[in-house]
């Protein structure tokens, strides 16, 4: 007997995902995949649910500001699910021009009746009608207060983070960065596996599958895909012709300048993109030791290597922040091929970080507090110090993060150099961006079209 499966509506699916995020602080993309995968939504409904989830997360503070202005009671007194429904509905009214206000209001009332009670439904109906009227008449309230507060609410970033960005960029450029973080519709960037195929062949294959894709504007063998859905289902992915990696991460490996025959240690390797890019750049000639503290993630790197035809990556489970791993790594390498050379030509230290450079892809990252990230600089410094001991004389130590905060970037490097005088900053050059004589650069989405990303190249002196 066939079971009857009742599908969710797009708004119900979005509400469910927001609830999972609120209760468990789950990643929005993982929660979306889980909910949508079991919901039976059509492609159109899936697109709407996705748009609603990301839209609310990108504009939560502003939606709450409007809700608070028009509400007859304090928002903190509302049932959390009712507040989630209000956010969904306010986002539709204020930001989505293709959805009639009446539809947004009526659907909200239906959701409240289904998941709360009739009294709450009456409250939501009255409030949303007031907001709809104000929006149609151009009468939505303006955020008032200090400039930092205005930017914080307008773009739904915590005020402390807005201040950090203003201190680094200046107020005008910081606002551009905030706008970019909320822009949405970011293409998926993928690297072409030049060991197996060409960019032309990949684009032809993607076109045959009806996928919108094109060359990256200034990075060779790099493509951008829009509306591709789950990348792992694509034939180009299955054949090992592409792997997902933002252009900023590719630039970090370019800065390290690996060459054929190099021995490279990738100290915090998961999910493997930098190891894969290094293998392509040295044309599968050399040795790459991919290390990570999570053994399960190393299995993914091993599977990825097989899919891509990369034959020079070995993996080892280790905590890169601990010096006691060094004898074990040395023993592992010697046991592998009798090679007693345990110092690497290049060591990559892509350290755990706050992730504030990828807010445009993972909007919920912005809601991390200062307390959430307070311990990161110490961890990053320990990883950098530990991995530096693997660098050969004249070798390269490449430090990178996907954050834009000085406390996790420049400050970590300055502290490291004070304690490790055998290392010095080493200038490099990047496609389109040009020379970076200082040896370090922060990439920004609104300036470079990449993830927010920090790259620093250090050289170990041959004589100390």
């Amino acid at each position: 007997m066939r079971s009857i499966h009742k599908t969710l509506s797009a708004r119900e699916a979005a509400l469910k995902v927001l609830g999972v995020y609120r209760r468990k602080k789950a990643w929005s993309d993982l929660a979306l995949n889980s909910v949508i995968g079991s919901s039976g939504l059509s492609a159109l409904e899936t697109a709407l649910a996705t748009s609603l989830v990301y839209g609310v997360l990108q504009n939560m503070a502003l939606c709450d500001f409007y809700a608070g202005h028009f509400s007859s009671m304090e928002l903190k007194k509302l049932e959390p699910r009712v507040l989630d429904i209000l956010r969904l509905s306010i986002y539709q009214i204020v930001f989505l021009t293709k959805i009639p206000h009446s539809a947004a209001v009526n659907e909200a009332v239906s959701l409240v009746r289904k998941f709360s009670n009739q009294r709450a439904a009456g409250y939501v109906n009255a409030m949303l009608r007031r907001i709809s009227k104000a929006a149609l008449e151009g009468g939505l309230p303006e955020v008032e207060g200090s400039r930092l507060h205005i930017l914080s609410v307008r773009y739904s970033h915590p005020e402390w983070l807005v201040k950090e960005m203003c201190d680094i960029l200046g107020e005008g450029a910081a606002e551009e960065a905030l706008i970019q973080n909320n822009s949405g519709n970011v293409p998926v960037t993928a690297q072409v596996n030049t060991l197996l195929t060409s960019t032309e062949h990949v684009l032809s294959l993607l076109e045959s599958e009806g996928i919108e894709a094109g060359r990256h504007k200034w990075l060779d063998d790099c493509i951008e895909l829009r509306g591709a859905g789950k990348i792992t289902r694509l034939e180009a992915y299955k054949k090992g012709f592409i792997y997902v990696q933002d252009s900023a991460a590719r630039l970090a490996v370019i800065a390290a300048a690996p060459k054929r025959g190099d021995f490279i240690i990738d100290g915090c390797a998961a999910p493997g993109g930098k190891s894969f890019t290094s293998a392509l750049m040295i044309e599968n000639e050399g040795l790459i030791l991919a290390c990570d503290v999570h053994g399960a993630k190393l299995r993914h790197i091993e599977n990825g290597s097989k899919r891509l035809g990369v034959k020079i990556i070995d993996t080892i489970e280790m905590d890169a922040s601990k010096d006691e791993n060094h004898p074990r790594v040395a023993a592992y390498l010697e046991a592998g091929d009798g090679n007693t050379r345990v110092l690497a030509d290049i060591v990559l230290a892509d350290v755990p970080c706050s992730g504030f450079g990828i807010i445009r892809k993972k909007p919920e990252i912005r809601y991390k507090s200062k307390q959430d990230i307070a311990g990161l600089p110490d961890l990053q410094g320990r990883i950098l110090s530990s991995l530096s001991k693997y660098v050969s004389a004249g070798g390269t130590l490449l430090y990178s993060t996907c954050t834009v905060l000085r406390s996790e970037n420049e400050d970590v490097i300055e502290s490291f150099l004070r304690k490790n005088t055998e290392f010095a900053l080493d200038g490099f050059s990047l496609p389109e961006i040009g020379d970076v004589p200082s040896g370090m650069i922060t990439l920004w989405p609104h300036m470079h079209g990449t993830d927010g990303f920090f790259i620093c190249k250090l050289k170990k002196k041959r004589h100390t």
Side-chain angles (χ1 to χ4, degrees):
M1 182 177 178
R2 293 177 61 187
S3 61
I4 299 175
H5 177 66
K6 180 174 173 56
T7 61
L8 299 174
S9 70
R11 291 174 178 83
E12 284 178 312
L15 178 62
K16 189 172 183 179
V17 172
L18 290 175
V20 172
Y21 164 72
R22 173 171 43 77
R23 294 189 304 272
K24 301 179 180 179
K25 292 297 181 280
W27 289 119
S28 57
D29 55 346
L30 298 179
L32 264 168
N33 290 337
S34 176
V35 170
I36 289 172
S38 60
S39 67
L41 290 179
S42 67
L44 194 61
E45 289 279 281
T46 294
L48 176 57
T50 302
S51 172
L52 292 176
V53 169
Y54 283 118
V56 169
L57 290 174
Q58 288 168 344
N59 298 281
M60 191 181 294
L62 186 57
C63 288
D64 286 358
F65 168 74
Y66 291 139
H69 180 85
F70 289 97
S71 177
S72 58
M73 69 173 72
E74 292 182 82
L75 297 186
K76 65 182 180 181
K77 294 181 179 180
L78 293 177
E79 182 184 344
R81 184 175 287 178
V82 171
L83 182 55
D84 285 342
I85 294 171
L86 280 173
R87 289 165 172 163
L88 279 168
S89 308
I90 292 170
Y91 172 70
Q92 293 170 73
I93 290 170
V94 175
F95 291 96
L96 299 185
T97 58
K98 292 183 179 180
I99 294 179
H101 290 193
S102 58
V105 174
N106 292 338
E107 290 287 344
V109 172
S110 296
L111 287 174
V112 176
R113 284 177 177 153
K114 182 173 182 178
F115 295 109
S116 185
N117 58 65
Q118 183 59 40
R119 182 179 177 185
Y123 161 81
V124 166
N125 181 56
M127 184 208 287
L128 292 179
R129 289 189 183 280
R130 288 195 294 270
I131 294 175
S132 172
K133 185 174 185 294
L136 291 171
E137 296 175 354
L140 289 172
E142 293 290 335
V143 182
E144 297 178 347
S146 69
R147 183 61 177 163
L148 284 178
H149 177 71
I150 291 170
L151 292 174
S152 172
V153 175
R154 181 181 293 167
Y155 301 108
S156 296
H157 285 63
E159 196 165 316
W160 74 266
L161 180 57
V162 174
K163 183 179 186 305
E164 293 268 357
M165 294 171 69
C166 286
D167 288 346
I168 295 169
L169 295 169
E171 195 174 284
E175 184 167 11
E176 291 180 29
L178 293 169
I179 291 170
Q180 183 61 226
N181 280 348
N182 284 2
S183 61
N185 194 29
V186 181
V188 173
T189 305
Q191 308 301 325
V192 174
N193 181 6
T194 52
L195 297 176
L196 300 181
T197 189
S198 66
T199 300
E200 292 81 359
H201 184 218
V202 167
L203 291 175
S204 176
L205 186 58
L206 291 170
E207 183 181 5
S208 70
E209 292 187 85
I211 303 300
E212 181 186 350
R215 292 176 179 273
H216 191 277
K217 292 180 181 177
W218 45 264
L219 197 54
D220 291 341
D221 299 316
C222 179
I223 61 174
E224 295 181 333
L225 303 89
R226 293 187 181 274
K230 198 170 184 179
I231 301 298
T232 55
R233 70 177 177 83
L234 300 178
E235 198 65 22
Y237 181 92
K238 293 177 182 178
K239 290 180 177 293
F241 292 168
I242 59 173
Y243 59 99
V244 175
Q245 182 186 50
D246 188 77
S247 49
R250 166 85 174 276
L251 291 175
V253 182
I254 291 174
K259 60 186 183 300
R260 279 188 294 179
D262 274 351
F263 171 33
I264 300 169
I265 295 178
D266 191 352
C268 305
K274 292 182 184 63
S275 290
F276 300 150
T277 294
S278 298
L280 268 59
M281 289 185 68
I282 65 178
E283 300 177 13
N284 242 352
E285 294 184 25
L287 173 63
I288 299 171
L289 184 61
C291 314
D292 202 85
V293 70
H294 301 292
K297 293 183 178 180
L298 291 175
R299 306 295 85 77
H300 289 299
I301 294 176
E302 292 165 1
N303 292 336
S305 295
K306 292 176 183 176
R307 182 177 63 83
L308 298 169
V310 172
K311 303 182 184 301
I312 60 170
I313 295 178
D314 284 344
T315 61
I316 184 169
E317 185 176 342
M318 76 170 197
D319 183 344
S321 69
K322 297 181 178 179
D323 288 345
E324 56 260 36
N325 286 304
H326 299 167
R328 188 164 66 91
V329 172
Y332 173 85
L333 290 167
E334 290 171 5
D337 59 5
N339 185 354
T340 58
R341 184 181 66 152
V342 295
L343 296 181
D345 301 294
I346 296 173
V347 174
L348 304 176
D350 186 48
V351 300
C353 70
S354 59
F356 287 128
I358 57 173
I359 288 175
R360 61 182 187 150
K361 294 177 179 176
K362 293 182 178 291
E364 64 272 25
I365 284 177
R366 73 188 71 196
Y367 300 116
K368 289 182 179 180
S369 68
K370 273 190 170 183
Q371 291 70 33
D372 291 334
I373 65 170
L376 284 172
D378 176 67
L379 173 62
Q380 292 156 347
R382 285 188 284 115
I383 290 174
L384 186 60
S385 176
S386 178
L387 291 179
S388 72
K389 296 175 174 61
Y390 293 108
V391 182
S392 62
T396 292
L397 176 61
L398 198 289
Y399 177 86
S400 61
T401 73
C402 58
T403 190
V404 294
L405 298 184
R406 284 175 173 158
S407 60
E408 299 180 63
N409 295 336
E410 291 92 341
D411 290 354
V412 171
I413 294 300
E414 290 169 7
S415 176
F416 172 80
L417 289 175
R418 283 196 298 270
K419 301 171 186 175
N420 297 271
T421 56
E422 71 274 25
F423 284 88
L425 291 163
D426 188 29
F428 54 90
S429 184
L430 297 175
E432 184 70 12
I433 294 166
D435 292 338
V436 184
S438 67
M440 53 184 170
I441 185 173
T442 301
L443 305 175
W444 292 83
H446 72 289
M447 295 171 60
H448 305 100
T450 68
D451 285 344
F453 207 87
F454 180 74
I455 302 170
C456 178
K457 185 177 183 180
L458 301 167
K459 182 73 73 175
K460 187 174 183 180
K461 301 171 185 176
R462 294 187 180 276
H463 305 286
T464 59

